[in-house]
Amino acid sequence: MMSLFISLTLLVNFSIISQGLATLSPSDGSGGVYEDLKWTAQLCCQVPLDQIVRSQLAATSGLLGQCQLINHTKPESSRKSHPLSGKCFDISCLFEGERANLICNAKSHGAALPAVSPQQLVLEMGLLSNETNHTTQCAGEDTATCSISLHGNDAIVSLSISLYVNGTTAMSPKMQINTYDLRTPEPPVNLHYNVTTEGEVIFRWSYTQPDSCEVRYSTNSSRHQCEVVKIKGRSWVHLNELNSGIRYTVQVRCQNSFNYWSEWSQPFYFTLDVSYIPAEVFSTPGSDVTLYAVFHNRSWSASNAVWMLNGQVKIPESQYRVINERVSAVTLQATSPGFDSLMCCHPWGERFKCTIAYAKMYTEGMFNADITCQSKNSKVDTMTCEWNKSAWAEVRFLYRQYKSMCEDVLKMDNNEDAEEFSASVKECPYGAGDHRECTLSNLSLFSCYKIWLEVEGGRGKVRSLPVYVAPIDYVKPSPPSDLEAITLPNKTLNVRWGRPPLPVYDMQYELRFSALRGMANMHWEVIGPFLEPQAEIFLEESCVQYKVEVRCKRLNGSGFWSNWSKSRSSVVYNRKAPEKGPDFWRIIQEDPVRNVSNVTLILQPVEAGDPNSCAEGLVIVHHAAGGVVWSNETSLVPFYSFLWRRETHTVSVMSRNSLGVSTWNSNITLLHQPKRRSVRSFSMAANASCVHLSWTLLSDQPMPQSFVIEWLDLNEDPEQNRSSTERTQWVRVQPNARDLCLCRRFYGSEKFTLCPVFVDGEGESVQCTATRGDPAAYMLLMIIMFLSIVLFITLMMSQNQMKKLMWKNIPNPYNCSWAKGMDFRQIETMENLFLHPEGLTACPLLLVSERICEVEIIDKPQTLECGKDNTKRTSTSSPLLGDSSEPLSLEASASATPETSGQSSVMYSTILLSDRPGLLRKQQESLSSSRDEGNFSANNSDISGSFPGGLWDLENHVCSDSGNPRHSSLYNSVEELSETSEYEASESTGGGKDLYYLAVNEKEEEKDEESESEEAQDERDENEEFQLCKGEIVMKADTKRQSEGNNYTSIDSNTTSHSIPLYLPQFQTESINPP
Amino acid sequence: MHSALVYTCILCMLSLGCSIPVPSDTLKNMVKLQAETINSRIQEHNEKLKLSPKLLIGDPELYPEVPADKPIQGLASIVDTLTIFQKVLHSLPKGHVSQLHTDVSTLQGYLVDRMSSMRCPLRKTANEKSLEAFLKDNATHHITVGYMALDRLQKFMQQLTVSLDQLKTC
């Protein structure tokens, strides 16, 4: 009965459950809740208990043996509304592992009903989507856990629970779990950013259900400090606060409808510098294209932007437009098809700072890529094609082979553009990339190849104009081979060669040849074309070996010249051995450390003699001490060096060819012993272009075999960089010659060495240095002289100017007592007063030549004798004169001319005592012509030293006779003046002997001298005195003489008691008045 | 007992000495020649671009993913830097850069061999992800990326040729 009741209850429950299942859809969880990556449900089953319980349950609900899913939205109220006192289970399902399995667990909760036990709980899971109906069952008492494999896919899993109690079964409604809803939402993908023409940065991503997302971004330096932005209802965000030049990492995550957060997306890295809008543009020729550049660097201003085309050309600023502070636009017209790049840069000093981003501009149409090809016909026929296109473009090199002639292909190709995309189109096997050439191999030389380039962009491509090439037309043949050349005695170069076997068409040839003379730089001479593989070239000289090369080219039609063949030296044809060896000289460089010398032979070119016996090389034969002989062979070199151990060594140089060596050869004997001296003199004379050398020999020496004159070429051309050996020049002179004229470019300081060469060795060499004047030196001298004259004139003018300035500072002479009655307006007066310019003391070396004082002293012995009675002492106060009873016999004559000196010519005379005629004569003899003019700083002269107190013989003036010039002496010594002035100065204080100086004017008549000197003498005794005026000492002149304009002055010895400063003008106006 | 200890020590020192070969001049010469070869190729490559001499592409302060003025501190740092340049070269279109890639690889081979003979630890390349992201971002600007990278590689080669003593240290 009891069992019948339970069965009925369960049947009722099943019917209700089945109805409930029909109302549940799989998408809503089928009674469960998706939360925290779990599907959860609560199931309560009414199971058969004892009679009491059973009756109560039947009275209240009538749901015996029923399992019911509790409403997951209001689980508590559901429980209350269905106060089942049966068994309840918590069910949860979740992924196991990496979504490989779904695992479900049912666990009873609440107090166990004692009457229920024993019980069994059974979980059954099945994959609904699986056609194989894979199910699994698991059982337990209070809890059961079951797992089902999902095979890596999302699936709908059915779940049912059966409860067996006391032999009866209570089954749950069938539940369904969608595993997709158990998953964590996929993170957003396709993260990227756009920049608008206003400069805004918009960050975007893709997500299936954009509901609520978070964007976080950080920099490398602040990885742990992310900025997070919450976004709702859209999949983009403005990121305008980013800095340029910084690498940002951005991640996004979103929530799904179950509020599950996805994982953070893969990080997106980006750096903002300059963005181009659009980054790539396609245009047609003639259309205007506008591009925008956004400066994300805030320190860059769009107003300073500089646009560069292909990184080479600056686009004119007139084409720029400033959109805002950060956005610059440029508009340019697409001219011709092709590809160009555009960069927007910012000035940085003189240069432009650019980022690595650039915009690409494709202009549709076919551009000219200047494709040129060159084919090679060899074991594998190849063709190398080159093109000339901007390196900014990444090109594809495409070609297609036709089986027709190129002319035919051209006609039919206009209508088959689409054919290029067929399988017959091939690409350069190695990838063109940034190469500008591609080599195709295994070609058919006679096929036609169509070749073109393609530049692909993101949204299309542009193509170059195709070229149609038949490789045979562009073949570069292999060079000719088997070259043979021979120089014949008839001045002919005969050359033969072999043509390359392929290609088989007719060939033409070119030949080039160059003489082999040991020169570093080959000078090629090209001749041709030749149609046969041989050539005969007429030469200017025979016996010359030539280097020969040949190349070939297709005779008819286009093609390329082959490379030059391997060089071949011609063989010089000879009938006999050379007759004569080359002449040579030596340079010896001693090495004292190794006790050896390095000898370099300077070999003259072999003279062109018989064309049948040409020299092809040299043989140097050494004869060393002890009879040791050896030889060396060399080509026709200009120099040959060897070591010499300073023993007797003879060297001879022979010419050689294939038939033998020369018989007439030069030799030289090197000796270390003292050399024979045979040259007496060696001199030279040089003019502008020639040097004339001459020498004489000692008579007691044998005649040399020859002379060698050696010198060093001073022309040091830095480009040639010649060594001293290469610059050494020499010439051999016949033994009977005694002079030589060398005409070539000399530099004026060459050192010529004359070396006599004897049979047994060299004689002692002598040297002579050229000393030719350099015209430049003369020019320099002339310039210096001219400048000196200009300087002199300038100084003269300045001196006059100074004199004028000095005059301004002269006090009013009318205030001086001595100037009373004088008329300074008269020129004569001024001249008398200021015969010595101020400049004499101020600037003694720059004085104007002026005549200050002139004394003419004429010694007349006869007059001296006859005038004894008439002689008067010039000064009684002078001890010398006082003691002297003899008259003075001296006539001073001084003349100063501007020509003699640029300085003020001041002439003073020393008055000599006539009682020392011997001394006087001796002085006259030695000093009669001495004129020591104007040099104040000179050393004391003999005159001043000999006659410190020279006297003036007044009688001479009375009996003067200028007819005896022998006794006419001029002692005009400034040193004398200085010394005697000092002496006088000392005497002025000590009252010593008197001294007389003369200031004598020129052009005085002799007869006037006599009378006037007498008068001056008289008046001097009476009137002469010095007057001092404002610090200047001026000798008071005899008014009479002054008025007469006579410069004869006499000095009263009494006046020497005054202080007389030692400067020249103090004496200038003293007059001597002869009695 | 003592003598055995001494012999053991001597043998240990000898074995230590043998295991650290002194860098020979041959390696220096090879590195120098290879570096100069790379520089010559870079010069030729960048000249073909015919860029205006006024242009300054790739400020050294920018794009730190590509080493610029990176100091040379022993073999490991050289190999590390070369590895980065290799990755940049690998990302560029094939062409003349392929030859440079081979040259840098050869140079890198010398140094790695030397490191292994000196038992130097290999250093893991830093900022690998940043470099990959940089190359990905600028995949369309390979001309300027190549120009900048080769310019920096050239400077590094110049620095290497004057720092050949660094080949002695790890």
Side-chain angles (χ1 to χ4, degrees), chain A residues 119-195:
Chain A
Q119 63 178 7
Q120 187 179 20
L121 183 66
V122 177
L123 261 69
E124 183 175 341
M125 298 174 72
L127 291 176
L128 290 183
S129 58
N130 194 340
E131 295 176 356
T132 58
N133 197 19
H134 176 69
T135 58
T136 181
Q137 275 193 345
C138 309
E141 286 189 359
D142 285 334
T143 180
T145 302
C146 208
S147 174
I148 189 168
S149 175
L150 299 172
H151 305 291
N153 300 317
D154 287 326
I156 296 173
V157 178
S158 65
L159 175 66
S160 63
I161 297 175
S162 302
L163 182 64
Y164 298 95
V165 178
N166 297 328
T168 61
T169 302
M171 295 189 67
S172 71
K174 203 152 194 176
M175 298 163 281
Q176 291 184 351
I177 303 154
N178 191 341
T179 59
Y180 178 82
D181 295 332
L182 281 177
R183 293 194 320 179
T184 306
E186 291 291 338
V189 293
N190 192 23
L191 276 65
H192 63 283
Y193 69 93
N194 300 115
V195 181

Side-chain angles (χ1 to χ4, degrees), chain A residues 603-623:
Chain A
L603 299 152
Q604 281 192 342
V606 178
E607 294 176 6
D610 186 0
N612 293 311
S613 59
C614 301
E616 297 174 1
L618 302 174
V619 178
I620 291 93
V621 182
H622 300 262
H623 297 268

Side-chain angles (χ1 to χ4, degrees), chain A residues 404-454:
Chain A
S404 313
M405 301 291 286
C406 281
E407 291 80 8
D408 301 331
V409 173
L410 272 169
K411 289 175 187 171
M412 66 182 186
D413 196 50
N414 293 328
N415 301 321
E416 57 174 21
D417 281 346
E419 199 177 339
E420 264 72 69
F421 302 97
S422 65
S424 60
V425 175
K426 296 177 183 174
E427 189 171 356
C428 180
Y430 306 111
D434 60 347
H435 274 296
R436 294 187 189 181
E437 65 175 39
C438 177
T439 300
L440 307 175
S441 57
N442 290 315
L443 294 178
S444 168
L445 282 183
F446 300 95
S447 293
C448 183
Y449 287 83
K450 178 181 178 181
I451 298 169
W452 69 97
L453 300 179
E454 275 187 7

Side-chain angles (χ1 to χ4, degrees), chain A residues 1017-1028:
Chain A
Q1017 182 65 29
D1018 293 338
E1019 291 174 4
R1020 185 181 65 239
D1021 294 338
E1022 299 170 1
N1023 302 325
E1024 283 182 2
E1025 61 175 312
F1026 288 108
Q1027 291 189 2
L1028 195 66

Side-chain angles (χ1 to χ4, degrees), chain B residues 47-101:
Chain B
E47 279 176 1
K48 280 191 175 178
L49 279 178
K50 295 177 182 173
L51 291 181
S52 165
K54 286 189 171 183
L55 286 193
L56 283 173
I57 296 178
D59 198 326
E61 296 171 0
L62 293 175
Y63 316 116
E65 297 83 5
V66 183
D69 302 330
K70 196 173 179 182
I72 292 178
Q73 296 168 334
L75 283 165
S77 75
I78 300 170
V79 171
D80 184 28
T81 306
L82 290 178
T83 304
I84 296 172
F85 280 116
Q86 281 282 67
K87 288 182 178 174
V88 177
L89 292 174
H90 187 72
S91 72
L92 298 175
K94 301 295 176 288
H96 291 296
V97 178
S98 307
Q99 183 60 52
L100 275 169
H101 192 275

Side-chain angles (χ1 to χ4, degrees), chain A residues 666-940:
Chain A
S666 301
N667 58 36
I668 195 168
T669 301
L670 303 171
L671 300 171
H672 192 245
Q673 62 195 22
K675 296 172 181 175
R676 182 187 293 120
R677 184 171 182 271
S678 62
V679 180
R680 174 184 292 160
S681 66
F682 180 43
S683 61
M684 63 166 295
N687 58 25
S689 59
C690 294
V691 172
H692 186 265
L693 302 165
S694 60
W695 59 93
T696 58
L697 300 181
L698 296 171
S699 58
D700 56 344
Q701 293 296 326
M703 180 69 75
Q705 199 176 25
S706 65
F707 296 98
V708 171
I709 295 172
E710 175 190 328
W711 71 96
L712 198 66
D713 185 6
L714 299 181
N715 180 19
E716 291 191 49
D717 190 352
E719 291 182 357
Q720 294 180 352
N721 193 21
R722 296 185 302 166
S723 64
S724 60
T725 303
E726 290 171 324
R727 289 191 289 125
T728 301
Q729 308 286 313
W730 67 280
V731 61
R732 191 178 294 277
V733 184
Q734 294 302 314
N736 52 358
R738 292 297 177 267
D739 60 356
L740 180 68
C741 187
L742 292 169
C743 291
R744 59 190 70 185
R745 185 175 180 182
F746 290 108
Y747 289 82
S749 57
E750 282 86 358
K751 186 180 286 185
F752 291 89
T753 304
L754 174 70
C755 184
V757 180
F758 297 93
V759 177
D760 56 348
E762 299 171 20
E764 189 175 295
S765 59
V766 290
Q767 288 189 336
C768 181
T769 303
T771 53
R772 185 173 50 210
D774 191 351
Y778 289 112
M779 290 295 295
L780 190 64
L781 192 61
M782 291 293 290
I783 291 169
I784 291 172
M785 287 179 65
F786 174 75
L787 291 175
S788 301
I789 293 169
V790 170
L791 180 64
F792 177 75
I793 293 170
T794 307
L795 290 174
M796 288 281 288
M797 293 174 68
S798 65
Q799 180 67 22
N800 286 332
Q801 198 67 24
M802 283 179 64
K803 192 161 67 174
K804 288 177 184 175
L805 290 172
M806 290 293 291
W807 272 109
K808 289 180 183 176
N809 296 327
I810 297 296
N812 188 0
Y814 292 109
N815 294 334
C816 298
S817 58
W818 56 268
K820 288 178 181 176
M822 295 181 69
D823 185 5
F824 287 97
R825 293 173 186 170
Q826 293 182 2
I827 296 173
E828 294 79 6
T829 307
M830 297 302 294
E831 287 179 348
N832 289 334
L833 283 174
F834 301 101
L835 285 176
H836 286 280
E838 301 81 347
L840 183 64
T841 54
C843 188
L845 294 176
L846 304 174
L847 292 175
V848 178
S849 175
E850 290 183 29
R851 185 168 55 245
I852 297 172
C853 176
E854 184 174 300
V855 176
E856 191 169 328
I857 302 171
I858 302 168
D859 188 5
K860 295 179 179 177
Q862 295 84 3
T863 309
L864 189 64
E865 287 179 348
C866 68
K868 272 186 178 178
D869 298 334
N870 299 325
T871 301
K872 289 184 180 179
R873 294 175 183 171
T874 54
S875 172
T876 55
S877 60
S878 170
L880 284 171
L881 292 176
D883 296 337
S884 174
S885 59
E886 296 294 327
L888 293 172
S889 62
L890 186 143
E891 179 178 331
S893 174
S895 66
T897 58
E899 292 78 14
T900 54
S901 172
Q903 299 175 358
S904 181
S905 299
V906 184
M907 303 174 188
Y908 297 94
S909 299
T910 305
I911 301 170
L912 304 179
L913 289 173
S914 60
D915 57 351
R916 296 178 184 175
L919 179 61
L920 172 64
R921 197 161 307 242
K922 190 179 289 182
Q923 292 300 325
Q924 285 172 345
E925 285 176 0
S926 61
L927 303 170
S928 59
S929 62
S930 69
R931 291 164 61 105
D932 197 355
E933 298 177 4
N935 191 354
F936 284 85
S937 61
N939 294 328
N940 291 339

Side-chain angles (χ1 to χ4, degrees), chain A residues 145-281:
Chain A
T145 302
C146 208
S147 174
I148 189 168
S149 175
L150 299 172
H151 305 291
N153 300 317
D154 287 326
I156 296 173
V157 178
S158 65
L159 175 66
S160 63
I161 297 175
S162 302
L163 182 64
Y164 298 95
V165 178
N166 297 328
T168 61
T169 302
M171 295 189 67
S172 71
K174 203 152 194 176
M175 298 163 281
Q176 291 184 351
I177 303 154
N178 191 341
T179 59
Y180 178 82
D181 295 332
L182 281 177
R183 293 194 320 179
T184 306
E186 291 291 338
V189 293
N190 192 23
L191 276 65
H192 63 283
Y193 69 93
N194 300 115
V195 181
T196 67
T197 53
E198 286 75 33
E200 292 181 328
V201 179
I202 300 174
F203 194 84
R204 297 178 188 276
W205 61 91
S206 299
Y207 189 64
T208 51
Q209 296 170 330
D211 185 17
S212 177
C213 296
E214 285 182 351
V215 178
R216 70 176 184 185
Y217 59 93
S218 63
T219 63
N220 278 349
S221 58
S222 61
R223 189 174 287 273
H224 302 293
Q225 295 177 350
C226 297
E227 294 284 336
V228 179
V229 182
K230 293 185 181 298
I231 309 295
K232 278 211 165 188
R234 55 186 165 91
S235 58
W236 55 269
V237 64
H238 281 288
L239 293 177
N240 290 327
E241 301 303 319
L242 302 181
N243 295 318
S244 71
I246 296 174
R247 174 153 294 273
Y248 284 95
T249 305
V250 186
Q251 288 179 296
V252 185
R253 70 172 185 175
C254 295
Q255 277 182 317
N256 64 5
S257 56
F258 299 105
N259 294 329
Y260 291 173
W261 278 108
S262 70
E263 295 291 333
W264 286 104
S265 67
Q266 287 294 316
F268 178 79
Y269 303 97
F270 71 101
T271 304
L272 294 173
D273 38 41
V274 177
S275 300
Y276 294 93
I277 307 166
E280 187 178 286
V281 59

Side-chain angles (χ1 to χ4, degrees), chain A residues 220 223 244-247 267-271 273 276 279 308 310-313 343 345 348 350-360 388 391-394 430-436, chain B residues 45 47-59 61-65 93-99 127 129-145 148:
Chain A
N220 278 349
R223 189 174 287 273
S244 71
I246 296 174
R247 174 153 294 273
F268 178 79
Y269 303 97
F270 71 101
T271 304
D273 38 41
Y276 294 93
M308 299 291 294
N310 293 324
Q312 299 166 354
V313 184
M343 300 177 80
C345 307
W348 192 66
E350 294 291 320
R351 306 178 76 180
F352 308 131
K353 193 180 274 190
C354 311
T355 62
I356 58 175
Y358 57 91
K360 300 173 183 177
N388 183 20
W392 292 80
E394 187 180 355
Y430 306 111
D434 60 347
H435 274 296
R436 294 187 189 181
Chain B
H45 182 272
E47 279 176 1
K48 280 191 175 178
L49 279 178
K50 295 177 182 173
L51 291 181
S52 165
K54 286 189 171 183
L55 286 193
L56 283 173
I57 296 178
D59 198 326
E61 296 171 0
L62 293 175
Y63 316 116
E65 297 83 5
K94 301 295 176 288
H96 291 296
V97 178
S98 307
Q99 183 60 52
N127 297 326
K129 284 188 177 177
S130 295
L131 176 66
E132 287 172 5
F134 166 78
L135 295 175
K136 187 181 170 188
D137 289 354
N138 295 289
T140 55
H141 305 137
H142 55 79
I143 297 294
T144 43
V145 169
M148 182 194 73

